[in-house]
Amino acid sequence: MRSFVTASKIAQRLCSPSRDGQELLPQLVAKLITSSIPKEVIREFRFPHGDQIYLHGADGILAVNDDVQHLYVPGGISLWEMGTSMNPKSKADEDFGEADGKLAQAFPNVIPPVVPDKATFVFVTSKSWESRKWIGEKRKASNWKNIKVLDAVDLEKWLEQCPDVMLWFADVCGLPAEGLYDAKQYLRKVGVDFGVSAMLPELIIAGRNEDMKQLSDLVLESNVEVYLRCESVSLAEAAYLAPVHQNMSVTPLTQPSEDVTVR
């Protein structure tokens, strides 16, 4: 789906002289990573955020299986630095100059010590930045295995792939998303309508395991229209979301309506 959190809105929210953007950007990146790759391929993960950004060392360290293939998450070992200033090149130069020394400190238990030609340097900026020239210069002057820059444009596109994170970020930023929920949020809303604190998927699925499995298979493995006949629109949407929520690490968004056709 298309993101309603645009690059300009990301820059507006995170490019700030205050600590607010500095505290939030690592949390956003961490959520995007864990929503993008299976948790079982992650071997090392550390992205301090909030009031922990004062800690020494890299803004983020990540080690995943070497065969991970993702547009924004490099396979193997990576060291992440982030900037929220209006001058991303200056911050990137400063962080890159210190990156070699931080790398070995980030993985102290790895023997032999991790060196740049075995790792990827990733710089994330909350501002739009044409960084190709900078990347080319740094690759020529260093021996890092790879160098990546993710700017606000990349973050917008990444958020499109992670609707649950996009909805979270919109809520944090106060962006309008009225009537739009992920599966977990909508099941909670249905629960409130029925007078309970949360409508658990197990409660909806109870006694309907075979039907729910067939529905889950249709939704997750095919691209056909699925028609649900239920006593109400809310029940139909809950019946759809319950098995999907149980079987997907990234839950879809839903906008309740009178149309209960599911594609």
Side-chain angles (χ1 to χ4, degrees):
M1 69 175 295
R2 181 165 179 78
S3 174
F4 52 85
V5 180
T6 63
S8 60
K9 290 178 180 177
I10 292 171
Q12 182 180 7
R13 178 63 176 82
L14 297 181
C15 289
S16 168
S18 69
R19 285 173 56 97
D20 194 35
Q22 299 172 27
E23 294 179 355
L24 184 56
L25 182 57
Q27 186 177 14
L28 171 61
V29 171
K31 284 181 175 290
L32 286 169
I33 292 171
T34 55
S35 291
S36 300
I37 59 176
K39 291 180 175 56
E40 56 268 20
V41 306
I42 299 176
R43 296 184 280 118
E44 194 85 34
F45 182 92
R46 180 176 170 83
F47 284 79
H49 60 268
D51 61 3
Q52 300 300 307
I53 62 170
Y54 71 88
L55 296 173
H56 294 294
D59 291 335
I61 59 172
L62 180 68
V64 302
N65 292 352
D66 292 335
D67 59 356
V68 167
Q69 295 184 357
H70 190 275
L71 181 60
Y72 303 116
V73 183
I77 292 174
S78 53
L79 183 140
W80 299 61
E81 294 288 1
M82 304 181 202
T84 59
S85 72
M86 297 301 293
N87 186 353
K89 181 181 182 302
S90 176
K91 182 65 163 65
D93 283 336
E94 178 184 346
D95 287 341
F96 190 80
E98 300 173 353
D100 286 32
K102 289 182 179 180
L103 184 61
Q105 298 174 9
F107 301 92
N109 298 323
V110 176
I111 300 175
V114 181
V115 290
D117 63 0
K118 303 295 183 183
T120 299
F121 174 83
V122 184
F123 180 74
V124 184
T125 172
S126 53
K127 191 177 184 301
S128 298
W129 178 33
E130 177 49 67
S131 59
R132 289 189 180 90
K133 180 180 178 181
W134 184 89
I135 292 174
E137 291 173 351
K138 297 306 180 184
R139 283 177 174 168
K140 290 179 180 178
S142 70
N143 62 340
W144 283 82
K145 183 177 74 173
N146 196 10
I147 299 171
K148 293 176 65 70
V149 171
L150 304 179
D151 70 349
V153 175
D154 297 310
L155 292 175
E156 175 188 339
K157 297 303 180 184
W158 198 354
L159 282 166
E160 289 181 11
Q161 302 175 12
C162 306
D164 55 331
V165 182
M166 179 173 62
L167 193 59
W168 165 82
F169 188 69
D171 181 59
V172 169
C173 296
L175 298 175
E178 185 176 353
L180 194 59
Y181 309 86
D182 66 17
K184 184 177 182 180
Q185 291 172 325
Y186 187 65
L187 289 176
R188 186 182 301 117
K189 175 183 180 298
V190 172
V192 172
D193 293 341
F194 280 91
V196 296
S197 60
M199 183 68 75
L200 299 176
E202 293 80 6
L203 179 60
I204 300 170
I205 294 173
R208 303 171 178 154
N209 288 351
E210 187 59 34
D211 293 337
M212 292 296 100
K213 183 181 184 307
Q214 292 179 14
L215 175 59
S216 179
D217 291 343
L218 282 171
V219 172
L220 297 178
E221 298 179 12
S222 68
N223 194 33
V224 300
E225 287 190 348
V226 179
Y227 294 87
L228 305 180
R229 179 174 295 176
C230 298
E231 296 177 359
S232 68
V233 172
S234 294
L235 184 57
E237 290 169 338
Y240 157 64
L241 290 172
V244 174
H245 177 50
Q246 280 197 327
N247 287 282
M248 293 183 68
S249 58
V250 179
T251 54
L253 299 183
T254 181
Q255 191 156 17
S257 68
E258 293 304 313
D259 183 2
V260 296
T261 300
V262 178
R263 288 184 181 273

